[in-house]
Amino acid sequence: MVKSTTKDAQDLFHSLRSTYVATPTNLKIIDLYVCFAVFTALIQVAYMALVGSFPFNSFLSGVLSCIGTAVLAVCLRIQVNKENKEFKDLAPERAFADFVLCNLVLHLVIINFLG
Amino acid sequence: MAALESPQPAATATAMRHAFGNVLSVLILVLIGVLAFSIRLFSVIKYESVIHEFDPYFNYRVTQFLSKNGIYEFWNWFDDRTWYPLGRVIGGTVYPGLTLTAGTIWWVLNSLNIPLSVETVCVFTAPVFSAFASWATYLLTKEVKGSGAGLAAAVLLAMVPSYISRSVAGSYDNEAVAIFALIFTFYLYIKTLNTGSLFYATLNALAYFYMVCSWGGYTFIINLIPMHVLLCIVTGRYSPRLYIAYAPLVVLGTLLAALVPVVGFNAVLTSEHFASFLVFIIIHVVALVYYIKGILTPKMFKVAVTLVVSIGMVVCFIVVAILVALVASSPTGGWSGRSLSLLDPTYASKYIPIIASVSEHQPPTWPSYFMDINVLAFLVPAGIIACFSPLSDSSSFVVLYIVMSVYFSGVMVRLMLVLAPAACIMSGIALSQAFDVFTGSIKYQLGGSSKSTDDAEDTSNAPKDDASAGKTDKGEEIVKERSSKKGKKKEREPADKPSVKSKAKKKALVLPLETSVVALLLLIMLGAFYVIHCVWAAAEAYSAPSIVLTSQSRDGLHVFDDFRESYAWLSHNTDVDDKVASWWDYGYQTTAMANRTVIVDNNTWNNTHIATVGTAMSSPEKAAWEIFNSLDVKYVLVVFGGLIGYPSDDINKFLWMVRIGGGVFPHIKEADYLRDGQYRIDSEATPTMLNCLMYKLSYYRFVETDGKAYDRVRRTEIGKKHFKLTHFEEVFTSHHWMVRIYKLKPAKNRIRGRAKKLKSKTTSSGWSSKSAKKNPWV
């Protein structure tokens, strides 16, 4: 039972890996960016746990900026992905422009809130 | 376009029709805006351009400060003329949206050399924004069902009495701009959901920011949208567009909400926002699941699911346990008092008498639904059914919106205002669909032949086979809806949608000609009744400024301008630094119009301070004098309606003074003031009641008016008619005795005669409300 579960887990891992390797490079770059952003957010949370949460607005703006840009990158990935039928007539340049605009607004707010 | 015999003329004909329809829509929208603006002007015509009620006076004062001193001073303003001696941090406790909007409009107009005063701008802000709100309703309903429904919904919202009641010219309150912000935010959310564009998601977040700036009711948005997302996920309508519509809104929205000082860190710490975070996590999990499902084979996916579910359940359980422990550790479960009183309608009356005492916070009665949304109450269910006929993301949203708003409007009558746009949208959809069916039937009957296979009459947009058919159908739908606007334009060239090929599978839903005509006429009459009611409600019921009262009698119109008379007296006959004590209702007006420092005002943020004033009003003269003297009060203001029959005076509010005061100071016992469970001021009243300050200040010298001291509100002669005031002196009574102002007599320099005997006499005699305890104020 356990053996089959481990074998299943390995099979799963392999199939996930093989499918992921097949995705286009630009999507993989976006994924890397998302992972980086989330990782930065986790580091900030760990730091906050160590030294306390004052000033809270700085902590909040730091974490939310990381999470925000990660979310926006995921949205960009959704819109740029060729396999998404819903977005096939959306030019990738337009998607990127929207991404930049939203990030601009996000970081404007962050800088204001950073304190 | 469709496969036509002669493409050229027919195509231009369709294009012409579209252009004509667009122009007509714009014209109708302009007219709707003018209608929305002008129906709110009754109070300006009947009375004058004046700010109404109580809360608007505070907003007006803040706007005056903003226009005089600029935005930095406003942001950092500490107001020391209210809640004396505590003061109030205006910058951090006010929702700045309204004042900033009006201030900006005033500044722009003045820089264009249009010299409107601040008061004029404030008075007319609400009608202007109600015109914007109707246009926003048009946009929102157009996204849900099409432009015909949009126009119907817009015209309904322009006139709905519930919205008029809070946005007449002069009602300068938060809701004036907040309802526009609410509808506009919902429109942008639906637009993002329908198009999946990140640009609209950004705009959505900014509109949400404007809503947070404007009104405490923004929590409705930040709970309704997650609920809708959850509903979509649960009913299997998850799509990438849903993710794009929701996830950026949460992050950006929380940040923007935290920017507003009055919300601050509550945006992440209070339970009102937890729903959005929870659904944020859920949508990420769902998105991940869909992604993995997409890249794995079904067999492997099943394996993944079993593996993940077992591990995930454990982790989830731990996290949820931690969360529950955290939330349960706070006494209210993290919710604020106001939100709790919404969720549990009995909460306020048990724990927070101040919230329970505000008349706007009572549950509405059944007639008030008919008064406030009139005919829409019947059309809403039809609209709900029409929303299901093809159920899309946007129509499920409006259905959820109306259900939630009906629940909340049932809890608090003030929230009928949130119900109004939802009811208008639903009714607009229902009306538009009804007109569709009837005009289509008429057209079919008159058009005769079976050529046009009348999917036009088909009220449900049945799934189209091919794209071209779909496009033609859409064009036809648009033409039909445009042609169904209020039954006009029936002479639209009949559907030369020839060969509209493999249309709907469903057979035509055609009604007989006479039925359709009669039904159309009845619908138009329904609309006429609605219009008549709305205009009547606006003119008679909701246009009273309540700072000026009028009454019709045999000898003509009487105008009671006592409030402004007394505030003017105060501002001319007292020192700038004098403190005025009154019940909290009149605080805003006193600071704005009389420009004097008050002890408590309508913000009601400090229950103990209000209880102090309440205790003073319920205590006998000497104790009250002590309390007021400790607060540096110079004048006491009392509103009395007994001479003219004005029912909202302080004696009628007295029970709240006793309750709130008794809630904090236990020596005030409500039972001392009740005879047989009732508050009475006639000869049957309790001695405590007859000796309390409120009774004395209201009825001092009242017997001189008609010799019998008959109180027209309580409809009885008062109990104690002849008495003198020992610690107060009357300085002003307004023309109709509505406002009475008393001055505290200064403390005596020396106590005449035997001081020791006097002191022991006062401590032992003690009025029944005052125990032998030492006065806590000395």
Side-chain angles (χ1 to χ4, degrees):
Chain A
M1 176 60 190
V2 176
K3 208 154 183 233
S4 72
T5 330
T6 19
K7 184 177 173 314
D8 278 341
Q10 277 179 336
D11 281 345
L12 175 67
F13 187 64
H14 280 304
S15 76
L16 269 176
R17 194 159 178 210
S18 55
T19 0
Y20 189 70
V21 167
T23 55
T25 327
N26 55 348
L27 293 184
K28 279 199 261 193
I29 295 179
I30 298 180
D31 289 339
L32 197 61
Y33 178 68
V34 171
C35 290
F36 162 69
V38 173
F39 182 60
T40 317
L42 287 174
I43 293 186
Q44 290 185 9
V45 172
Y47 180 69
M48 191 260 316
L50 275 177
V51 298
S53 70
F54 182 81
F56 193 55
N57 55 331
S58 313
F59 164 68
L60 214 56
S61 57
V63 171
L64 282 179
S65 79
C66 293
I67 298 192
T69 172
V71 162
L72 291 175
V74 173
C75 291
L76 176 67
R77 188 191 199 276
I78 291 174
Q79 291 184 327
V80 160
N81 198 353
K82 296 283 185 306
E83 294 168 22
N84 265 333
K85 294 293 168 285
E86 290 175 352
F87 291 101
K88 63 176 163 52
D89 33 344
L90 182 69
E93 288 81 12
R94 169 73 199 262
F96 187 67
D98 286 341
F99 170 72
V100 168
L101 173 73
C102 209
N103 260 321
L104 212 61
V105 173
L106 174 71
H107 286 98
L108 208 65
V109 175
I110 295 287
I111 294 181
N112 192 13
F113 195 50
L114 210 47
Chain B
M1 279 283 150
L4 306 156
E5 293 85 352
S6 46
Q8 200 52 349
T12 22
T14 334
M16 276 292 289
R17 253 207 307 277
H18 277 232
F20 197 76
N22 278 340
V23 170
L24 201 60
S25 294
V26 170
L27 186 66
I28 291 182
L29 278 176
V30 168
L31 285 177
I32 290 177
V34 171
L35 170 70
F37 183 81
S38 28
I39 201 175
R40 286 163 169 81
L41 296 183
F42 276 104
S43 63
V44 174
I45 297 171
K46 289 169 74 171
Y47 299 88
E48 61 181 288
S49 163
V50 73
I51 309 252
H52 296 188
E53 302 245 327
F54 303 113
D55 280 3
Y57 272 100
F58 170 69
N59 295 324
Y60 171 54
R61 180 168 162 251
V62 175
T63 318
Q64 271 182 317
F65 185 88
L66 172 67
S67 60
K68 221 182 305 195
N69 302 27
I71 187 157
Y72 283 108
E73 288 297 323
F74 164 73
W75 222 238
N76 297 319
W77 185 20
F78 179 82
D79 187 20
D80 56 351
R81 294 186 72 75
T82 176
W83 293 94
Y84 185 84
L86 303 165
R88 177 182 173 183
V89 182
I90 299 278
T93 57
V94 81
Y95 280 99
L98 176 70
T99 41
L100 287 178
T101 308
T104 313
I105 294 177
W106 174 85
W107 181 80
V108 164
L109 286 177
N110 266 23
S111 54
L112 290 175
N113 280 329
I114 305 174
L116 288 181
S117 72
V118 178
E119 177 170 22
T120 316
V121 172
C122 290
V123 163
F124 288 102
T125 300
V128 168
F129 272 83
S130 64
F132 294 160
S134 352
W135 294 338
T137 314
Y138 163 72
L139 290 171
L140 173 57
T141 321
K142 189 164 92 130
E143 283 299 312
V144 178
K145 267 296 180 191
S147 46
L151 288 169
V155 76
L156 289 174
L157 185 84
M159 291 195 292
V160 65
S162 152
Y163 185 30
I164 290 185
S165 71
R166 303 289 301 196
S167 67
V168 289
S171 175
Y172 181 57
D173 208 351
N174 287 339
E175 288 90 347
V177 297
I179 296 296
F180 161 67
L182 180 85
I183 304 177
F184 197 56
T185 310
F186 283 154
Y187 157 64
L188 286 172
Y189 171 66
I190 296 291
K191 185 91 180 168
T192 321
L193 196 54
N194 281 346
T195 58
S197 149
L198 202 53
F199 173 64
Y200 280 109
T202 319
L203 288 182
N204 187 18
L206 290 174
Y208 173 66
F209 175 52
Y210 184 52
M211 179 69 190
V212 174
C213 285
S214 312
W215 197 30
Y218 74 90
T219 49
F220 183 66
I221 298 187
I222 202 63
N223 282 308
L224 187 66
I225 292 187
M227 244 192 269
H228 176 244
V229 170
L230 207 55
L231 181 73
C232 281
I233 291 177
V234 161
T235 53
R237 302 185 77 95
Y238 171 79
S239 69
R241 290 173 289 118
L242 189 68
Y243 182 85
I244 296 181
Y246 183 63
L249 173 69
V250 169
V251 180
L252 213 52
T254 310
L255 264 175
L256 287 167
L259 266 187
V260 181
V262 70
V263 175
F265 296 143
N266 285 346
V268 290
L269 293 178
T270 52
S271 296
E272 280 104 355
H273 291 87
F274 278 171
S276 56
F277 300 141
L278 192 66
V279 177
F280 185 67
I281 297 176
I282 291 180
I283 200 176
H284 275 93
V285 169
V286 169
L288 197 65
V289 165
Y290 269 85
Y291 172 67
I292 295 197
K293 193 174 189 182
I295 62 174
L296 283 182
T297 64
K299 186 171 70 81
M300 295 306 322
F301 181 62
K302 254 191 257 206
V303 169
V305 163
T306 38
L307 254 178
V308 167
V309 161
S310 44
I311 307 178
M313 286 303 262
V314 176
V315 173
C316 263
F317 189 64
I318 301 177
V319 169
V320 164
I322 297 179
L323 263 177
V324 164
L326 264 177
V327 166
S329 62
S330 97
T332 56
W335 296 92
S336 76
R338 290 225 167 143
S339 309
L340 259 178
S341 66
L342 277 181
L343 293 175
D344 173 16
T346 58
Y347 179 78
S349 45
K350 274 187 278 178
Y351 297 106
I352 319 180
I354 283 205
I355 295 183
S357 74
V358 181
S359 68
E360 299 174 318
H361 292 179
Q362 307 306 320
T365 54
W366 282 112
S368 66
Y369 275 95
F370 194 70
M371 169 74 168
D372 273 352
I373 55 173
N374 202 243
V375 156
L376 307 186
F378 310 130
L379 290 175
V380 160
I384 296 182
I385 294 181
C387 276
F388 276 98
S389 20
L391 184 68
S392 65
D393 291 338
S394 33
S395 53
S396 70
F397 177 75
V398 274
V399 169
L400 190 65
Y401 177 24
I402 187 126
V403 168
M404 283 294 121
S405 49
V406 164
Y407 169 71
F408 283 119
S409 72
V411 175
M412 215 189 250
V413 78
R414 186 177 181 185
L415 294 179
M416 292 268 319
L417 184 60
V418 176
L419 173 64
C424 292
I425 295 173
M426 280 301 173
S427 317
I429 293 176
L431 272 180
S432 168
Q433 296 287 73
F435 272 117
D436 259 357
V437 173
F438 297 136
T439 51
S441 302
I442 293 180
K443 207 173 295 187
Y444 177 71
Q445 301 284 10
L446 290 180
S449 72
S450 57
K451 206 163 49 125
S452 50
T453 52
D454 317 307
D455 39 331
E457 288 80 11
D458 196 21
T459 52
S460 73
N461 309 327
K464 308 301 180 287
D465 295 346
D466 42 324
S468 67
K471 257 196 256 182
T472 332
D473 253 343
K474 201 129 180 291
E476 197 176 17
E477 263 308 308
I478 297 178
V479 170
K480 281 286 178 299
E481 276 158 349
R482 254 185 271 119
S483 69
S484 67
K485 271 189 308 267
K486 295 292 195 185
K488 315 177 196 151
K489 293 294 158 243
K490 247 181 280 184
E491 61 273 16
R492 278 252 165 276
E493 312 79 83
D496 65 336
K497 315 320 175 194
S499 54
V500 200
K501 68 262 95 188
S502 55
K503 263 333 162 243
K505 325 272 201 274
K506 292 167 80 158
K507 205 50 192 119
L509 232 81
V510 175
L511 300 171
L513 180 63
E514 303 78 18
T515 322
S516 310
V517 172
V518 168
L520 264 180
L521 284 174
L522 285 178
L523 272 184
I524 295 176
M525 268 176 57
L526 194 70
F529 281 132
Y530 176 70
V531 172
I532 293 175
H533 172 85
C534 292
V535 174
W536 169 84
E540 298 298 325
Y542 290 135
S543 288
S546 71
I547 185 129
V548 176
L549 307 165
T550 58
S551 82
Q552 281 281 12
S553 71
R554 268 174 324 207
D555 16 321
L557 185 72
H558 287 280
V559 176
F560 301 101
D561 210 1
D562 289 44
F563 285 107
R564 292 197 289 180
E565 180 191 348
S566 21
Y567 296 131
W569 183 92
L570 261 183
S571 85
H572 286 131
N573 293 293
T574 60
D575 289 334
V576 173
D577 284 330
D578 284 341
K579 326 281 186 272
V580 178
S582 67
W583 192 233
W584 58 261
D585 283 348
Y586 315 107
Y588 280 157
Q589 284 182 343
T590 314
T591 33
M593 280 198 273
N595 194 26
R596 293 290 173 267
T597 312
V598 291
I599 306 294
V600 287
D601 69 16
N602 308 54
N603 192 29
T604 65
W605 65 269
N606 190 329
N607 194 32
T608 313
H609 221 49
I610 296 182
T612 312
V613 174
T615 310
M617 296 295 191
S618 326
S619 311
E621 254 190 278
K622 181 151 172 31
W625 187 94
E626 303 278 344
I627 296 177
F628 281 141
N629 198 35
S630 73
L631 288 170
D632 291 345
V633 170
K634 199 83 169 296
Y635 295 93
V636 178
L637 186 147
V638 155
V639 169
F640 171 62
L643 184 67
I644 53 160
Y646 173 61
S648 315
D649 65 352
D650 280 357
I651 292 280
N652 272 359
K653 293 180 192 165
F654 185 60
L655 76 98
W656 292 110
M657 300 185 198
V658 170
R659 276 191 199 159
I660 297 175
V664 179
F665 299 101
H667 65 268
I668 304 282
K669 300 188 202 33
E670 196 173 353
D672 292 341
Y673 299 83
L674 299 172
R675 172 83 67 199
D676 306 324
Q678 278 195 331
Y679 284 90
R680 304 178 66 145
I681 44 94
D682 52 9
S683 46
E684 293 291 314
T686 60
T688 328
M689 184 75 190
L690 292 175
N691 274 321
C692 75
L693 187 71
M694 181 50 68
Y695 179 91
K696 285 195 169 169
L697 294 189
S698 294
Y699 294 116
Y700 180 61
R701 289 194 313 114
F702 186 48
V703 68
E704 295 171 17
T705 53
D706 60 351
K708 285 193 306 269
Y710 181 74
D711 182 341
R712 289 218 172 94
V713 180
R714 268 60 61 177
R715 297 182 201 279
T716 163
E717 292 186 16
I718 62 178
K720 194 153 78 165
K721 301 188 191 181
H722 303 271
F723 56 89
K724 286 207 188 323
L725 291 176
T726 51
H727 288 73
F728 295 84
E729 59 175 323
E730 181 186 8
V731 285
F732 178 75
T733 297
S734 65
H735 187 216
H736 300 100
W737 286 56
M738 277 176 66
V739 180
R740 314 194 64 184
I741 304 183
Y742 294 84
K743 188 170 171 175
L744 262 71
K745 280 191 187 163
K748 288 208 179 69
N749 268 336
R750 54 186 180 90
I751 308 172
R752 259 189 314 161
R754 297 147 290 181
K756 243 202 276 199
K757 198 169 178 190
L758 207 60
K759 261 217 296 223
S760 59
K761 193 165 170 214
T762 16
T763 43
S764 62
S765 72
W767 316 104
S768 49
S769 64
K770 187 176 156 192
S771 60
K773 224 158 56 105
K774 216 160 99 79
N775 188 324
W777 300 105
V778 175

